[in-house]
Amino acid sequence: MMKLLTSLFVGLTLLSAPVHAQSGPLRLEIDEGIIEPMPFAVPNFVPDGPAAAQYAQDISRVVAADLTGTGLFREISADAFISRVSSFDAPVQFADWKAINAQALVTGAVNVSGKRLTVRFRVWDVFSGQELGEGLQLAGTTDGWRRMAHKVSDQVYSRITGEGGYFDSRVAFVSESGPKNQRLKRLAIMDYDGANVQYLTDSAAIVLAPRFSPTGDRLLYTSYESGSPRIYVLDVGRVKKQELKTQDGTMSFSPRFSPDGRSIVYSLIQGGNTDLWKMDLASGQSVRLTNTPAIETAPSYSPDGSQIVFESDRSGTPQLYVMPSGGGEPTRISFGQGRYGTPVWSPRGDLIAFTKQNKGRFHIGVMRTNGDEERLLTSSFLDEGPTWSPNGRVIMFTRETQGASGRSSLYSVDISGRNLRPVRTPDGGSDPSWGPLQN
Amino acid sequence: MNVLGKILALGALSVIAACTSNDPSALGGGGPGGSGAIVPGSPSDPRSPAYFQQTVGDRVLFSVDQSTLTPQAQTTLQGQADWLMSNPDFVATIEGHADEQGTREYNLALGARRANAAREFLISRGVAGNRLKTVSYGKERPIEICSTEECYSKNRRAVTVLTGSTLG
């Protein structure tokens, strides 16, 4: 798997643009609340030979699925097409695409030579008759075709929305099977869309809450393999783990990397009391950040590393607080009704996602970093544990259903609250951690 | 092994039960004292882990989001303390658990509070701290799986698990 990922992209080249390089008027301003998705067409990419035919079709389908999955775009079925695209370099028949109201058009070509796969694509603003950005060529290996498709989608998305994409990214999560009282949990990693699931641990011990490093090379997680909860760091490429030792007789959990990846903040339980600590990974030395008889847990850094948002029940119920990342006086930011937990700072720095429990329901919500403008995005019997897409537009979380046959699965939702979707996994899933865009 | 020891331990248990509990039956249903032969290691053997589990009572329950010990929990723990004092070869791990209402992280911390509350009580009644470890499972190991208070009340628990004898 890792070999594939590190050797995948041997090149990403600008194609010489036959038409205007500057973007035309086609622009989706997604902060203004899109209700009506933008219609687009992705005619099958043109294969340059029989060996490329299946890849060309599959890549086109993944690009279409990525864009449709955002809820911001609506694909126009190939049945409606007037034009066929049989040559990548032939002029686009804009009138034919206008006639079916395709506002955006993605054309592409696929070449396969042995194990080498090359994808070229262009994005068109149909109604202005202009190319949006410049054509690009991606080169890699055939077994990395999905990633190349996601790369195309990221380009299309960011050219049309002006924001970074999130498709060429991975999600670490806990794969769950078995009934509630005998649940088996395994650490797993997959593409953001649920493809290419790879298991990183067996189910011999309970594992909880993997957390990606800022570059995606490592995962922090909690495991009971020693008999009590302890934090481990796992090298994703080599699937090699190491315990992060804390004092004897303590339990540790809820770790998260600092933005520079050199230290972690985590919860340590001593004598029944849970406080926040910070560990320097090079030395293994820990320092205490909070010291109260209350529960302090679920810490998350601001993207600039200067602050930590966390959950504490020092007021009597779990609420959200922000403190300087070296410790110090926290400021409470949650004041609505109910109980707040698992705050996670957005990668853009502007919002904090959280779990809220109120009147017997659970919600995923977002608020400004000072607690203003709280908005609840979901509601169910049990939603928890939000994680942000790399561009800060989408939140993935755990939803558990009620009752004896209750099951955990992953869902995603746009920060507008729209486009709630299940994320398909082979078994049940929980505790997602959305990694960064891959290189 | 030592029949006299067993009988003494049993006697001590009964006396304390009478002293500390308004409801002597809280120590467990039935109890020993029948006329049948005691099978070593069976629930009828008052020095057996099975007796501890079933007759003394290995678990205490908690209210929603609470880690304070109810009077009933204190009675059970008093019985556990007496048993552990009478059976000094055993060490125990106290497992703290929560129901599914609440986030994974908070429940892990809450389970630790519950396990520690039980441990502190046992220590206050004379059990050596180095015989008592704690672990929190949060909401990871429910014993009842329905999503109603009937199940939740049994899942909010601290369970004292005898993890073997210090003498091996």
Side-chain angles (χ1 to χ4, degrees):
Chain A
M1 183 94 188
M2 205 54 217
K3 191 166 136 272
L4 177 162
L5 293 176
T6 50
S7 67
L8 181 58
F9 289 104
V10 294
L12 188 140
T13 323
L14 279 178
L15 300 178
S16 59
V19 290
H20 321 276
Q22 284 307 305
S23 61
L26 183 67
R27 176 55 75 95
L28 199 58
E29 295 292 347
I30 54 184
D31 277 338
E32 290 171 14
I34 304 300
I35 307 292
E36 191 57 39
M38 176 186 282
F40 73 98
V42 183
N44 268 344
F45 285 13
V46 181
D48 72 348
Q54 192 64 48
Y55 289 109
Q57 187 177 335
D58 292 345
I59 288 168
S60 316
R61 289 300 84 214
V62 169
V63 171
D66 283 343
L67 296 175
T68 306
T70 62
L72 302 172
F73 300 94
R74 177 172 61 78
E75 187 187 12
I76 295 171
S77 161
D79 299 341
F81 292 176
I82 298 165
S83 273
R84 296 283 154 209
V85 177
S86 52
S87 162
F88 180 62
D89 294 315
V92 171
Q93 303 301 312
F94 290 109
D96 290 350
W97 299 105
K98 277 183 199 166
I100 59 171
N101 195 34
Q103 293 187 34
L105 174 70
V106 183
T107 58
V110 175
N111 171 275
V112 171
S113 165
K115 287 261 170 212
R116 190 180 158 83
L117 177 70
T118 309
V119 180
R120 293 179 292 157
F121 72 95
R122 297 186 193 280
V123 187
W124 304 94
D125 173 354
V126 171
F127 282 80
S128 73
Q130 293 186 336
E131 188 174 6
L132 198 59
E134 294 183 57
L136 274 183
Q137 173 171 307
L138 307 168
T141 54
T142 48
D143 51 4
W145 70 269
R146 275 189 156 270
R147 281 201 56 195
M148 296 173 78
H150 292 317
K151 288 276 189 205
V152 173
S153 307
D154 280 324
Q155 285 288 328
V156 175
Y157 178 94
S158 81
R159 289 177 193 193
I160 295 176
T161 66
E163 299 192 5
Y166 57 86
F167 308 111
D168 184 25
S169 61
R170 296 202 288 174
V171 172
F173 67 105
V174 174
S175 175
E176 301 197 356
S177 59
K180 268 186 190 175
N181 56 346
Q182 290 169 39
R183 193 148 287 174
L184 298 175
K185 296 195 168 197
R186 286 196 286 175
L187 207 58
I189 192 169
M190 64 184 183
D191 296 350
Y192 98 98
D193 58 359
N196 291 324
V197 173
Q198 181 191 0
Y199 297 97
L200 303 173
T201 67
D202 63 24
S203 57
I206 301 170
V207 288
L208 305 174
R211 301 289 179 225
F212 264 113
S213 65
T215 60
D217 62 335
R218 289 163 293 162
L219 285 173
L220 294 166
Y221 66 103
T222 303
S223 170
Y224 281 72
E225 65 178 70
S226 71
S228 68
R230 292 180 204 279
I231 298 169
Y232 296 78
V233 62
L234 182 117
D235 180 310
V236 176
R238 294 185 299 155
V239 195
K240 198 167 182 309
K241 68 163 193 281
Q242 182 198 337
E243 184 189 336
L244 297 180
K245 291 202 185 302
T246 53
Q247 300 161 53
D248 285 350
T250 61
M251 292 176 262
S252 55
F253 68 105
S254 196
R256 216 179 268 277
F257 279 101
S258 61
D260 66 8
R262 291 189 196 143
S263 60
I264 66 165
V265 60
Y266 64 100
S267 278
L268 186 79
I269 306 177
Q270 285 177 300
N273 182 38
T274 303
D275 275 310
L276 297 180
W277 291 67
K278 180 179 180 175
M279 181 189 294
D280 173 65
L281 289 173
S283 67
Q285 294 299 306
S286 284
V287 294
R288 180 191 277 276
L289 297 180
T290 65
N291 193 352
T292 77
I295 288 171
E296 268 94 30
T297 189
S300 168
Y301 277 95
S302 60
D304 67 1
S306 68
Q307 291 170 289
I308 292 171
V309 63
F310 63 98
E311 162 187 351
S312 170
D313 70 348
R314 62 184 66 189
S315 72
T317 59
Q319 299 291 337
L320 306 184
Y321 296 80
V322 171
M323 70 175 173
S325 59
E329 195 53 38
T331 306
R332 180 171 165 178
I333 61 166
S334 63
F335 292 96
Q337 282 195 337
R339 302 154 65 89
Y340 293 79
T342 69
V344 191
W345 218 297
S346 147
R348 295 189 199 184
D350 57 343
L351 295 173
I352 288 168
F354 55 84
T355 304
K356 180 171 179 171
Q357 186 183 357
N358 191 28
K359 296 178 181 158
R361 301 283 288 176
F362 279 76
H363 310 270
I364 301 297
V366 293
M367 57 173 59
R368 296 275 163 203
T369 60
N370 64 1
D372 287 350
E373 298 176 42
E374 175 179 322
R375 286 187 293 123
L376 300 183
L377 308 180
T378 74
S379 176
S380 92
F381 168 70
L382 211 177
D383 287 348
E384 68 171 304
T387 182
W388 289 94
S389 64
N391 69 351
R393 278 297 310 179
V394 182
I395 290 171
M396 204 179 285
F397 60 97
T398 307
R399 172 166 286 184
E400 177 132 4
T401 52
Q402 192 169 359
S405 59
R407 189 172 186 274
S408 273
S409 46
L410 304 184
Y411 276 76
S412 67
V413 66
D414 192 87
I415 56 168
S416 65
R418 284 187 286 274
N419 201 35
L420 176 70
R421 295 158 55 88
V423 179
R424 305 218 179 278
T425 52
D427 291 308
S430 63
D431 295 2
S433 172
W434 204 325
L437 273 181
Q438 302 188 80
N439 290 320
Chain B
M1 303 167 201
N2 181 340
V3 175
L4 183 60
K6 285 173 197 160
I7 291 166
L8 286 176
L10 182 60
L13 208 62
S14 311
V15 169
I16 288 162
C19 294
T20 58
S21 173
N22 299 328
D23 173 15
S25 69
L27 271 182
S35 56
I38 292 171
V39 180
S42 77
S44 63
D45 173 1
R47 300 197 67 171
S48 71
Y51 179 89
F52 178 86
Q53 191 181 10
Q54 295 169 28
T55 306
V56 175
D58 66 348
R59 66 198 56 202
V60 296
L61 305 179
F62 296 86
S63 302
V64 176
D65 199 22
Q66 294 300 310
S67 56
T68 48
L69 298 168
T70 64
Q72 191 182 353
Q74 294 187 25
T75 303
T76 302
L77 288 168
Q78 181 65 59
Q80 290 185 8
D82 296 336
W83 191 94
L84 287 164
M85 296 292 279
S86 306
N87 294 276
D89 296 351
F90 284 95
V91 296
T93 297
I94 304 164
E95 300 176 349
H97 299 268
D99 66 33
E100 68 187 359
Q101 307 169 91
T103 62
R104 204 177 306 292
E105 290 84 352
Y106 184 80
N107 278 334
L108 207 53
L110 180 59
R113 273 184 178 164
R114 288 173 175 161
N116 192 63
R119 180 175 185 268
E120 292 295 326
F121 186 93
L122 294 176
I123 290 172
S124 77
R125 294 302 191 268
V127 182
N130 61 12
R131 296 174 64 197
L132 301 170
K133 287 200 274 191
T134 58
V135 61
S136 174
Y137 285 98
K139 61 176 173 177
E140 302 304 316
R141 285 287 178 263
I143 48 168
E144 300 292 339
I145 59 176
C146 72
S147 294
T148 64
E149 176 56 21
E150 189 188 349
C151 289
Y152 291 165
S153 64
K154 292 172 187 150
N155 290 334
R156 295 188 299 262
R157 68 201 193 276
V159 184
T160 306
V161 179
L162 299 174
T163 49
S165 159
T166 50
L167 301 182

